[in-house]
Amino acid sequence: MSFACKVLASFLLIFFSSIKGTALTHITILGALDHDIDLNIPSFQMNDAIEHIQWNKNEMRIVQYQHGKIHDGQKETYQLFLNGTLKIKRLNRSDTGTYKVIVYDKDGKNVLEETFILRVLEKVSTPVISWNCINKTLTCEVTRGTDLKLRLYYNGRSVGEGQKVITHKWNANSNGSFTCTANNDVGEETKTAVIECPGKGLDIILILSICGGGLMFLIFVALLIVYISKRKKQLRRRSDEELEVRAHRKISEEGGRKLQPVPGSAPQNPAASQPPPPPSHRPQVPGHRPPPSGHRVQQQHKNQKQRRPLPSPGTQVHQQKGPPLPRPRVQPKFPRGATENS
């Protein structure tokens, strides 16, 4: 019975020792997003007896060292150093996983095995502090970060905690220094702001100033509307007067055109326009003997030139404006006695 108990105790000791050793070989590593990270093998030194080093990710080989040469098929992502350290370049979220390193000597003996659990976290951003003196409210906010913690301090005293946003409201005058701190396992950022809010008297003055400015603006807008309406009325009245003047002028011009005489139809002096009577019908002075025929013709032409009437001034103006009127053609007529004598 005692022998069986000893065997069982030895078995349990070996089992728990193996579990304890396995638990110690799992190392958790935290990496920052978009940054590089090195996976160092603890308690390991490179020597001439080491023949083979291999790194696996999720049970798949990614890089190895063998016979003094490094074989890395993914140089853009991984880099293996001669001391066995694995460098992962520019971490992204897909790099999260389990990494395992296995070391063999020249005899093929498994010298070392180590497992790493890698977690990729996003670093926190700088906090943003904003406040409102009227509502007496202060807000601290962070936009980026994985598993972060946010803390707010007033003059070195903690006044609030949160994850993404902290809102703090005070009752009395809280002029002073506020500090907001955001941190996680891969980084920390801090922001400090000094707040100076005016008193109640200044608040009332500010409110009255705003109200007075608004009232002045409304008065200005009202005056502007009145001015524009009056200006429009003046322009409309002036336009109506211009239209009335143009219409009156047009009517006057049309009446003048109707009263103006037509060219070539002006009345003439009937006495001036009537041709002189023929010589045969002229009254002769009793007892006067008619001259000879040749002398009679010359005398007739001379009398026609002398007796031709001059046109009146109105007729001259009218003839200058219109085309010249045709003159009557007068042919001398010889008396019958003269023709027979010839």
Side-chain angles (χ1 to χ4, degrees):
M1 186 70 179
S2 59
F3 178 75
C5 291
K6 290 181 180 180
V7 172
L8 181 59
S10 301
F11 178 77
L12 292 175
L13 180 62
I14 295 172
F15 177 75
F16 285 113
S17 299
S18 62
I19 294 176
K20 183 177 179 181
T22 304
L24 291 176
T25 57
H26 287 75
I27 302 174
T28 300
I29 303 294
L30 301 177
L33 185 66
D34 297 329
H35 289 73
D36 299 344
I37 191 171
D38 294 337
L39 301 183
N40 299 313
I41 306 174
S43 303
F44 174 76
Q45 289 184 352
M46 188 67 176
N47 54 53
D48 296 338
I50 302 301
E51 179 69 18
H52 183 83
I53 301 174
Q54 178 176 320
W55 280 91
N56 299 332
K57 177 187 176 182
N58 298 331
E59 304 300 331
M60 294 184 63
R61 185 179 64 186
I62 54 177
V63 65
Q64 68 177 356
Y65 166 83
Q66 189 174 10
H67 304 299
K69 295 182 180 181
I70 297 175
H71 304 277
D72 48 353
Q74 304 180 30
K75 294 183 180 180
E76 298 82 5
T77 306
Y78 306 106
Q79 182 180 358
L80 181 63
F81 296 97
L82 293 177
N83 60 355
T85 299
L86 176 66
K87 184 182 188 68
I88 305 176
K89 303 177 182 179
R90 198 169 181 81
L91 287 173
N92 54 54
R93 299 186 186 278
S94 62
D95 292 328
T96 300
T98 302
Y99 293 82
K100 185 176 182 180
V101 59
I102 305 173
V103 181
Y104 297 94
D105 60 5
K106 293 182 178 179
D107 298 331
K109 182 180 178 182
N110 188 351
V111 178
L112 184 142
E113 286 189 9
E114 200 73 59
T115 302
F116 301 86
I117 305 298
L118 177 62
R119 291 184 59 202
V120 180
L121 305 178
E122 184 181 20
K123 296 184 69 175
V124 296
S125 60
T126 303
V128 178
I129 299 176
S130 59
W131 64 91
N132 190 328
C133 292
I134 298 176
N135 297 331
K136 297 182 179 181
T137 303
L138 182 139
T139 302
C140 176
E141 183 178 4
V142 176
T143 57
R144 296 191 308 273
T146 305
D147 298 337
L148 62 92
K149 293 181 180 180
L150 196 62
R151 295 180 177 87
L152 181 64
Y153 300 90
Y154 170 64
N155 292 335
R157 178 173 57 87
S158 178
V159 293
E161 294 184 0
Q163 291 185 348
K164 291 288 186 179
V165 179
I166 296 177
T167 301
H168 175 70
K169 189 170 184 178
W170 66 87
N171 296 325
N173 187 13
S174 295
N175 293 342
S177 176
F178 283 87
T179 302
C180 189
T181 301
N183 65 336
N184 60 3
D185 293 332
V186 293
E188 180 176 341
E189 296 289 341
T190 302
K191 180 70 175 181
T192 301
V194 178
I195 298 177
E196 294 181 359
C197 290
K200 294 182 179 180
L202 294 178
D203 289 342
I204 295 173
I205 294 174
L206 180 62
I207 293 172
L208 292 177
S209 301
I210 294 173
C211 293
L215 182 61
M216 292 297 294
F217 178 75
L218 293 177
I219 294 173
F220 172 75
V221 171
L223 293 176
L224 183 63
I225 292 173
V226 172
Y227 172 76
I228 293 173
S229 61
K230 288 186 177 181
R231 186 66 176 172
K232 286 184 177 180
K233 288 181 180 179
Q234 292 177 359
L235 294 176
R236 192 181 300 112
R237 188 182 305 167
R238 187 178 300 174
S239 179
D240 294 341
E241 292 177 356
E242 291 180 356
L243 291 176
E244 186 177 354
V245 171
R246 290 179 183 176
H248 183 67
R249 189 181 300 170
K250 188 174 182 182
I251 293 172
S252 301
E253 291 178 357
E254 291 179 355
R257 290 177 183 174
K258 290 180 180 180
L259 297 176
Q260 186 177 359
V262 181
S265 63
Q268 298 180 357
N269 190 359
S273 62
Q274 186 176 0
S280 59
H281 296 281
R282 291 179 184 176
Q284 297 183 0
V285 180
H288 181 71
R289 186 179 179 180
S293 61
H295 180 72
R296 188 183 300 172
V297 173
Q298 294 178 1
Q299 188 68 25
Q300 183 180 359
H301 282 287
K302 188 182 293 184
N303 294 334
Q304 288 179 0
K305 293 180 180 179
Q306 291 177 359
R307 294 180 180 178
R308 183 174 297 171
L310 295 175
S312 62
T315 308
Q316 290 180 0
V317 174
H318 178 70
Q319 289 179 356
Q320 290 178 1
K321 292 184 179 180
L325 297 175
R327 296 179 179 179
R329 187 174 181 182
V330 180
Q331 297 182 358
K333 293 184 180 181
F334 297 98
R336 294 180 181 179
T339 306
E340 291 176 357
N341 292 332
S342 63

